[in-house]
Amino acid sequence: MDCNEAPIESEAKLTDLSQMDEFLEQLKSGKTEKTKRSLDLINSICKDQIERGSQNLSIAMIGRLSTAMGGPSVQAIRNTSGAIYRTLINEWHREKAPASKKLKKKTSENSWIEEIERPNLKWHAEDLYNQFIAQRNELNHLKQITELHIDLRPPQSSSNFSAVMLTEIERRALEHCISSEVIERNHWQVDDRGQVLGSRNNQIFKPGFMSAIKKILESM
């Protein structure tokens, strides 16, 4: 990407796609292959936006679509080195979105944007305004929420088994495992630490086993 590229202003109003193609070729003249590919991609995205009836040619929108296709990101387009991309987007916006411009003239809220003469400043203002509208719509949506449920209970620690859900079969299996019948039949012994020892004083279950199982069952 060329780092010191300045915006290129179009001298005549573009009236058809052939003139748009000529303008694109002027932008690509003398640029690196990477910049040329990026210009072609952004030009294609702008064209697709218009052809499918969308008037959203904001830097944020074009940048997101470009990033998804491996092209310049939103930040790259906004950077100083991205001036050539902004020039192309601005030309598409100015020449191929008349309906959007007419709509803006009818609204008093953003009519001041039309009074900006410098194309680059005007385009930045439109991009910021679109972001403002999106955030305002999100705020209005949040205002419609009239009831909130807030759980102020402290988060449960990993040692709390109150949320454990066992099936009936699983519950019976645990109860059977620590039952006196199983302990006596296997000649096990349970010490005061919850450790289960075998007939030869060998460890069957580690300390805390019996108490842990009992806590799980009691919490059900």
Side-chain angles (χ1 to χ4, degrees):
M1 184 183 298
D2 299 337
C3 295
N4 298 315
E5 293 169 333
I8 300 175
E9 303 292 342
S10 59
E11 297 180 357
K13 186 166 183 153
L14 305 178
T15 58
D16 53 38
L17 290 179
S18 62
Q19 288 180 298
M20 199 67 194
D21 291 339
E22 291 177 6
F23 182 75
L24 174 62
E25 292 304 317
Q26 292 177 12
L27 292 179
K28 292 165 60 177
S29 179
K31 302 303 182 294
T32 65
E33 290 302 316
K34 181 179 179 181
T35 300
K36 290 179 181 179
R37 289 194 299 269
S38 296
L39 284 169
D40 284 335
L41 177 60
I42 291 176
N43 185 71
S44 176
I45 292 173
C46 291
K47 181 180 178 182
D48 289 342
Q49 284 288 93
I50 296 300
E51 288 181 346
R52 68 186 183 86
S54 174
Q55 300 299 332
N56 190 349
L57 294 176
S58 65
I59 292 177
M61 173 58 71
I62 301 303
R64 285 196 294 270
L65 294 174
S66 172
T67 300
M69 301 174 70
S73 64
V74 175
Q75 188 58 50
I77 296 175
R78 285 178 173 155
N79 288 341
T80 302
S81 57
I84 193 170
Y85 305 131
R86 296 195 300 273
T87 298
L88 177 59
I89 296 172
N90 184 54
E91 197 61 42
W92 270 104
H93 184 273
R94 185 165 65 88
E95 301 298 337
K96 296 300 180 181
S100 177
K101 293 173 68 175
K102 290 179 181 179
L103 179 60
K104 289 183 173 62
K105 290 181 180 179
K106 294 180 181 180
T107 58
S108 59
E109 185 178 10
N110 64 334
S111 59
W112 57 272
I113 297 179
E114 294 301 318
E115 299 177 5
I116 301 177
E117 295 182 357
R118 292 182 58 182
N120 288 338
L121 291 179
K122 183 177 180 180
W123 181 239
H124 278 301
E126 290 176 339
D127 189 45
L128 290 173
Y129 177 77
N130 289 334
Q131 293 182 46
F132 162 73
I133 292 298
Q135 293 177 357
R136 187 179 65 180
N137 291 339
E138 182 177 356
L139 178 60
N140 290 335
H141 174 70
L142 293 175
K143 287 181 178 180
Q144 296 176 1
I145 301 176
T146 58
E147 185 177 355
L148 290 176
H149 297 280
I150 302 176
D151 189 351
L152 298 179
R153 293 175 298 179
Q156 297 178 349
S157 64
S158 58
S159 61
N160 191 340
F161 294 96
S162 61
V164 175
M165 300 297 294
L166 298 177
T167 65
E168 185 62 26
I169 293 177
E170 291 170 336
R171 180 184 178 90
R172 289 178 181 176
L174 290 180
E175 290 177 340
H176 177 73
C177 181
I178 63 173
S179 66
S180 58
E181 177 187 351
V182 171
I183 293 175
E184 293 175 1
R185 184 173 65 244
N186 290 282
H187 306 290
W188 291 347
Q189 295 181 14
V190 181
D191 62 16
D192 55 359
R193 297 183 301 165
Q195 178 179 216
V196 179
L197 301 174
S199 58
R200 298 181 181 180
N201 207 35
N202 57 306
Q203 187 182 76
I204 304 300
F205 296 113
K206 292 184 177 181
F209 174 80
M210 293 295 289
S211 58
I213 297 300
K214 288 179 179 180
K215 286 181 180 180
I216 294 175
L217 293 173
E218 290 173 356
S219 68
M220 294 296 97

